Amino acid sequence: MGIIGKDYKYKIIENFLTKEEIELFKNYCEIKHRLNNKNFDTEQSNTMDTCFYGDPIMDSLLLSKQKIMEKESGKKLLPTYAFWRTYTKYAILKKHTDRPSCEISATVFIDSEGPEWPIFIEGKELILKPGQAVIYLGCELEHWREEFLGDYQFQTFLHYVDKDGSNKEWYMDKKIYWGMNKN
């Protein structure tokens, strides 16, 4: 089993997003969610949540936060992909571990309308505030969320692999360019 830093497999990062970044991404997610008519995911959740893989602004965030992720993980990293989602009322996130391109991941809380909605990592309940992130070993640690009772929650996921590790082939999630879907 791998570790992040010296003695833990996940940790909360305060002020991962600045106040200006929170405002920018909140507005962006709200506008994009309202305009969405085809990007939905019912596989990981039980609702019609808006979701986007390879979104240019989130890929930009992935690249701009690489140094913070390296500092916090204690590893040289390669970015793989970003994914963001608008969770809606009654959404859940099924218990799972991630695929190889999510070796070291961050789930970043942007904004929400509703009650606190914890993420569970290896059974531990973690509650994030806007701008906070939890970084964790996505391939190793089971993580999930129970039913959401709010109106919406904007969340982005930033994924990286260890530059010197066995998953380095997943750099850019095997895409040709940033800001594009895999297909």
Side-chain angles (χ1 to χ4, degrees):
M1 272 198 158
I3 54 175
I4 296 175
K6 296 183 187 223
D7 57 357
Y8 43 86
K9 297 177 186 176
Y10 62 87
K11 68 178 176 177
I12 294 176
I13 308 304
E14 300 290 332
N15 303 311
F16 189 81
L17 297 178
T18 65
K19 288 180 183 178
E20 294 81 11
E21 289 171 327
I22 294 168
E23 189 66 21
L24 171 71
F25 291 120
K26 174 185 171 187
N27 291 335
Y28 177 81
C29 292
E30 183 176 336
I31 292 166
K32 192 127 179 179
H33 175 68
R34 287 180 193 268
L35 297 175
N36 180 40
N37 62 7
K38 65 179 182 174
N39 292 304
F40 299 101
D41 180 19
T42 56
E43 218 172 281
Q44 272 295 341
S45 183
N46 61 337
T47 60
M48 295 289 286
D49 295 337
T50 297
C51 59
F52 291 91
Y53 171 99
D55 184 88
I57 196 168
M58 296 304 174
D59 274 1
S60 298
L61 180 66
L62 172 79
L63 298 171
S64 71
K65 296 299 181 179
Q66 182 174 344
K67 287 188 184 343
I68 291 171
M69 290 293 292
E70 289 178 337
K71 177 181 175 245
E72 295 296 339
S73 69
K75 297 182 181 290
K76 286 288 185 190
L77 301 176
L78 296 172
T80 58
Y81 74 97
F83 184 84
W84 76 267
R85 178 186 299 272
T86 300
Y87 289 101
T88 56
K89 191 163 188 148
Y90 306 122
I92 60 165
L93 178 62
K94 296 174 184 171
K95 191 180 285 190
H96 69 286
T97 55
D98 295 326
R99 59 192 180 92
S101 56
C102 308
E103 186 177 7
I104 297 175
S105 297
T107 181
V108 185
F109 181 31
I110 297 170
D111 188 53
S112 182
E113 179 64 43
E116 291 178 334
W117 192 39
I119 184 168
F120 291 86
I121 299 179
E122 289 290 294
K124 176 139 171 93
E125 180 180 295
L126 304 172
I127 297 174
L128 300 176
K129 303 290 182 209
Q132 290 181 324
V134 60
I135 63 171
Y136 58 98
L137 301 174
C139 301
E140 294 182 25
L141 304 177
E142 268 192 330
H143 48 284
W144 69 93
R145 290 179 185 264
E146 295 175 350
E147 188 174 71
F148 179 55
L149 298 177
D151 185 34
Y152 69 86
Q153 180 157 319
F154 302 139
Q155 199 80 28
T156 192
F157 309 91
L158 308 177
H159 302 292
Y160 304 83
V161 292
D162 184 338
K163 183 178 182 181
D164 300 315
S166 60
N167 294 320
K168 63 186 170 209
E169 70 188 81
W170 289 97
Y171 170 63
M172 292 184 69
D173 209 23
K174 300 186 178 183
K175 298 179 299 216
I176 299 169
Y177 302 109
W178 293 111
M180 67 180 292
N181 222 324
K182 276 186 80 152
N183 302 333

